[in-house]
């Protein structure tokens, strides 16, 4: 199983809502990532978890709150988002945090903030 | 500061032709160079990767050429097929670090 599963696939939320994005992998990978991707742009790294601990936060606004409940799950909690936060949110995992190990990406959650 | 420059932004190739995408980097500490392929509505998928100790790597119809002195690398897709139509991102990283630096992407269209 080389799959990273993200739910939901699509999400529309208002600026006052609270929602969560979920990511799951069963490859035994110890590094997990959240990326944000705008249309026709490359993915931008948001957070890196290594062995269930947050190791990198790329100065992401606090309205995005990551959580890693266990080695297979990664959540991204969303609160008070802005319309400019509308994007494709990608989860990825890799065997180790060093990036010469292949990163497997999920299909992403298409988020629209209204 | 954009550390990986990718060109062209878009590319149209006829079926059976050769697609060539170029990337240039600035950081001499980069030591791992993957290429990702992304179809609409999907996440990126690793296509092929190279380290600077070799000048070329081939996997099927996909070849990476690497020029360390020029700090450039390129992806060649031989016998391009309509199914290759996707966005391609080059990337670079220091394997001692945790961040991939992506190029801006190339939207490839292969016409039947």
């Amino acid at each position: 199983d080389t799959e990273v599963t993200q739910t939901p696939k699509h999400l529309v939320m208002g600026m006052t809502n609270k929602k969560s994005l979920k990511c799951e992998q069963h490859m035994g990978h110890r590094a997990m990532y959240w990326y944000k991707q705008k249309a026709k742009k490359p993915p931008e790294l948001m957070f890196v978890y290594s062995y269930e601990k947050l190791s990198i936060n790329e100065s992401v606004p606090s309205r995005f709150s990551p959580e890693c409940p266990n080695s297979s799950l990664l959540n991204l909690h969303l609160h008070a988002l802005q319309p400019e936060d509308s994007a494709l949110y990608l989860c990825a995992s890799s065997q180790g945090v060093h990036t010469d190990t292949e990163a497997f990406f999920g299909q992403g959650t298409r988020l629209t903030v209204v | 500061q954009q550390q990986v420059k990718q060109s062209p932004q878009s590319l149209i190739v006829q079926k059976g032709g050769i697609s060539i995408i170029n990337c240039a980097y600035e950081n001499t500490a980069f030591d791992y160079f993957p290429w990702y392929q992304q179809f609409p509505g999907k996440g990126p998928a690793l296509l092929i990767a190279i380290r600077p100790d070799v000048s070329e790597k081939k996997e099927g119809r996909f070849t990476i050429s690497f020029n360390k002195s020029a700090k450039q690398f390129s992806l060649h897709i031989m016998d391009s097929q309509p199914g290759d139509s996707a966005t391609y991102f080059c990337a670079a990283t220091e394997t001692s670090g945790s961040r991939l630096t992506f190029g801006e992407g190339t939207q490839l269209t292969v016409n039947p």
Side-chain angles (χ1 to χ4, degrees):
Chain A
D1 181 8
T2 58
E3 197 169 287
V4 175
T5 304
Q6 289 188 244
T7 55
K9 287 189 168 45
H10 301 274
L11 178 62
V12 179
M13 61 183 290
M15 290 189 283
T16 58
N17 290 160
K18 286 185 181 180
K19 296 286 185 184
S20 296
L21 310 185
K22 297 186 183 303
C23 174
E24 190 168 2
Q25 57 88 12
H26 295 288
M27 295 177 277
H29 289 173
R30 303 317 301 262
M32 297 186 76
Y33 313 80
W34 280 114
Y35 285 85
K36 174 183 177 179
Q37 187 177 28
K38 292 283 217 179
K40 300 188 185 298
K41 290 293 185 183
E44 298 173 40
L45 184 64
M46 300 174 71
F47 303 103
V48 179
Y49 272 83
S50 175
Y51 291 86
E52 300 160 50
K53 293 192 187 318
L54 183 64
S55 61
I56 294 176
N57 176 340
E58 293 286 88
S59 302
V60 178
S62 60
R63 58 186 184 268
F64 296 91
S65 175
E67 178 196 20
C68 189
N70 60 53
S71 61
S72 300
L73 295 174
L74 187 66
N75 298 322
L76 186 63
H77 303 297
L78 314 173
H79 173 55
L81 294 192
Q82 303 298 309
E84 59 265 30
D85 296 322
S86 299
L88 181 68
Y89 287 85
L90 293 162
C91 174
S93 71
S94 62
Q95 195 164 21
V97 73
H98 296 303
T99 48
D100 64 341
T101 58
E102 180 177 355
F104 291 82
F105 284 83
Q107 288 198 128
T109 294
R110 175 74 60 189
L111 174 66
T112 303
V113 181
V114 297
Chain B
Q1 180 189 9
Q2 183 187 7
Q3 295 192 56
V4 179
K5 293 184 180 179
Q6 184 172 345
S7 63
Q9 197 171 12
S10 63
L11 179 62
I12 300 174
V13 173
Q14 291 301 116
K15 178 182 175 182
I18 302 174
S19 304
I20 302 174
I21 304 171
N22 300 300
C23 286
Y25 63 98
E26 299 165 6
N27 186 347
T28 55
F30 287 152
D31 57 3
Y32 179 69
F33 302 88
W35 284 87
Y36 284 85
Q37 179 187 55
Q38 186 174 23
F39 293 104
K42 304 286 188 183
L46 180 66
L47 189 62
I48 186 172
I50 197 168
R51 293 186 180 283
D53 52 348
V54 296
S55 60
E56 186 175 281
K57 183 174 182 181
K58 184 175 180 179
E59 290 185 2
R61 297 184 293 108
F62 301 91
T63 300
I64 300 179
S65 297
F66 187 84
N67 186 329
K68 187 174 181 179
S69 60
K71 293 187 286 185
Q72 294 175 348
F73 58 110
S74 60
L75 176 70
H76 295 235
I77 305 174
M78 312 300 286
D79 187 26
S80 299
Q81 300 296 312
D84 297 331
S85 298
T87 300
Y88 292 80
F89 294 99
C90 64
T93 188
E94 302 173 52
T95 52
S96 59
S98 305
R99 294 173 178 82
L100 279 171
T101 299
F102 285 93
E104 286 294 299
T106 297
Q107 187 167 354
L108 171 66
T109 302
V110 181
N111 288 328

